[in-house]
Amino acid sequence: MKARVLGSAAGGGFPQWNCACPNCIGARTGGLPVRARTQASLAVGAGSGRWYLVNATPDIGAHLNALAGGGTEVRRSPVAAVLLTDAELDHASGLLQMREGTPLAVYATEAILAAAAPLLDILAAYKPVERVALAPGSDTPLDASLTCRALATGSLKRPRYAAGLPPDPAGVVGYRFTDADSGRSLVYMPCVPALTEPLVAELKTADCAFVDGTCFTDDEMAIVGLAGKTSRSMGHAPVTGEGGTLPVLAGLPTPRRVYTHLNNTNPLLVEDSAARAQVEAAGIEVAYDGMEVEPG
Ligand SMILES: [Zn+2]
Ligand SMILES: [Zn+2]
């Protein structure tokens, strides 16, 4: 199994077009040691050259170009299917840019498929869309050796465009991919309100774990003048502080632990920051666009 980080930023990317926080200014001017990042998406493959895409972001054009590979057909897609962690626009609206080409399978829980229905219905007017409902906690085969398991995060958050739907604890999920050939597994969890025991159990037994690193502290957006928004209010456990994920991740035996889905205000983006040093000292990496992992 191979995985490639196509994007590693939270919604809006980094730098974000309408943001003048110190990080975004530093990214634009080159005044800070930071890398630009597109919105978070992961490609997972068993080595067949076809990829399972976790989330289809507004940056999907660049992501698909990064994956376009071999093949002799005039029209071909490097994407075997898209899996959605939720129906937020930064995770699902890229589906609309996939209207060209061959039929597309979209895997998600019933709750996510219901929330994303407006997007999926538009796409289905252009090409066949197969909606594959995943039962949380059970493995579904993707190809010859790869399976996926949706991990309900318990978050009751719904996208604003689907606010009328009932809250559902499987409306925001992570995924566990397992390669039957190698027995190795990878967990991808970009949106987690809290690292609960069941989620920690999934992380603990994975060979590689990508975890929500949206905000370093709960109030970092308020500090840069974006009052009223906290990490937790957006459904993301912060890295540090009360309910922080860092002490939990630091204690796990998981060989590779990686923070992803970084908001543009996050000091982890700055490569020489104290925050970055603290996380790396705990053996945890910070994802970047183009990062590749091969859990086996
Ligand atoms: Zn997001
Ligand atoms: Zn910013």
Side-chain angles (χ1 to χ4, degrees):
M1 171 171 35
K2 277 187 182 167
R4 192 187 298 176
V5 175
L6 300 175
S8 51
F14 177 61
Q16 181 173 313
W17 68 278
N18 65 340
C19 189
C21 77
N23 279 359
C24 287
I25 290 172
R28 284 190 202 102
T29 61
L32 284 175
V34 294
R35 294 180 190 233
R37 283 167 164 85
T38 61
Q39 293 163 89
S41 176
L42 186 78
V44 180
S48 60
R50 299 256 289 167
W51 298 89
Y52 292 88
L53 223 59
V54 189
N55 291 335
T57 84
D59 296 313
I60 195 160
H63 295 168
L64 292 176
N65 281 330
L67 288 179
T72 52
E73 306 91 344
V74 176
R75 291 273 191 255
R76 55 183 179 256
S77 167
V79 178
V82 173
L83 294 86
L84 298 176
T85 62
D86 54 58
E88 294 292 341
L89 288 181
D90 68 315
H91 300 162
S93 65
L95 286 170
L96 298 181
Q97 291 173 60
M98 298 181 82
R99 70 180 176 83
E100 300 90 355
T102 45
L104 182 70
V106 179
Y107 290 68
T109 58
E110 292 277 14
I112 297 170
L113 291 174
L119 298 172
L120 297 172
D121 290 345
I122 292 173
L123 185 62
Y126 295 86
K127 67 182 193 178
V129 177
E130 188 193 356
R131 306 173 203 212
V132 184
L134 301 172
S138 58
D139 289 322
T140 299
L142 294 177
D143 65 15
S145 67
L146 205 60
T147 59
C148 75
R149 180 191 301 172
L151 311 170
T153 66
S155 173
L156 300 179
K157 204 169 162 244
R158 282 142 293 162
R160 279 189 227 176
Y161 71 85
L165 292 178
D168 190 306
V172 180
V173 302
Y175 285 101
R176 183 188 190 93
F177 295 92
T178 304
D179 185 340
D181 289 343
S182 66
R184 301 288 173 88
S185 60
L186 177 151
V187 169
Y188 186 70
M189 239 180 239
C191 300
V192 190
L195 280 181
T196 57
E197 268 312 310
L199 295 179
V200 171
E202 295 283 353
L203 297 174
K204 212 183 263 184
T205 52
D207 296 281
C208 177
F210 287 92
V211 176
D212 187 340
T214 307
C215 291
F216 192 71
T217 50
D218 193 43
D219 62 352
E220 75 188 34
M221 277 175 286
I223 287 169
V224 297
L226 303 166
K229 276 195 167 182
T230 65
S231 184
R232 275 196 211 91
S233 73
M234 298 189 307
H236 300 285
V239 171
T240 57
E242 192 194 331
T245 55
L246 181 58
V248 182
L249 289 190
L252 295 184
T254 320
R256 290 190 78 172
R257 291 150 290 162
V258 188
Y259 276 124
T260 191
H261 196 272
L262 299 142
N263 194 60
N264 60 77
T265 50
N266 193 323
L268 287 177
L269 290 164
V270 183
E271 300 189 5
D272 63 359
S273 66
R276 177 69 83 97
Q278 185 185 348
V279 159
E280 288 178 348
I284 298 159
E285 301 167 78
V286 176
Y288 53 89
D289 294 17
M291 181 183 200
E292 292 191 344
V293 296
E294 202 165 340

